[in-house]
Amino acid sequence: MTENTTPHPAIEKAALATADRLASEHGPRLRTDVLAALHAPDHSPGQYLDPIALASLIVSAATLAWTIYQDLRTTNPKLEADTIARRIRLELPADNPNPQQRDSIIEIVVEEITENDND
């Protein structure tokens, strides 16, 4: 029996939008790498130094953002993006050598999740 590795559509949308927004900085291949990471059976990133690992960071942040958003909005429908971003910063492994890059990805992912929730 194979494991379903299809992410929730909101996670995929946020991850791809984040890749598109970061493409000018990291190259056009980032979208392809994010797609690959989204559909990989195990997208647990190590250090985010190469494009594949960067894509994994984006997918991990999008997945965590969606989970936190879904959990918290049941008790607080007017959930602040800063609350989600703060939780991601605490829960997402901080093994990225560039904290500014990590924070940028978190901010973009949270913005995409909170502004594009069509569930």
Side-chain angles (χ1 to χ4, degrees), residues 55-111:
S56 292
L57 171 61
I58 291 169
V59 172
S60 294
T63 302
L64 186 55
W66 177 251
T67 302
I68 291 168
Y69 179 70
Q70 290 297 304
D71 288 348
L72 294 179
R73 79 177 184 161
T74 59
T75 58
N76 184 1
K78 297 183 189 278
L79 186 60
E80 296 289 328
D82 289 345
T83 303
I84 300 168
R86 192 174 319 113
R87 284 270 307 270
I88 294 170
R89 285 186 187 93
L90 291 172
E91 295 182 30
L92 190 67
D95 50 3
N96 181 345
N98 184 340
Q100 292 166 326
Q101 180 184 54
R102 181 177 181 265
D103 284 347
S104 174
I105 288 167
I106 290 170
E107 292 300 321
I108 293 169
V109 163
V110 169
E111 182 180 311

Side-chain angles (χ1 to χ4, degrees), residues 1-60:
M1 185 168 172
T2 60
E3 179 182 331
N4 182 3
T5 59
T6 304
H8 188 282
I11 294 169
E12 184 167 351
K13 184 176 182 180
L16 291 173
T18 301
D20 291 343
R21 290 174 60 177
L22 294 172
S24 64
E25 183 180 339
H26 297 283
R29 183 179 164 95
L30 184 57
R31 182 179 179 84
T32 303
D33 292 339
V34 167
L35 275 169
L38 279 165
H39 298 284
D42 177 24
H43 56 273
S44 55
Q47 293 222 334
Y48 310 115
L49 298 175
D50 61 63
I52 302 295
L54 180 62
S56 292
L57 171 61
I58 291 169
V59 172
S60 294

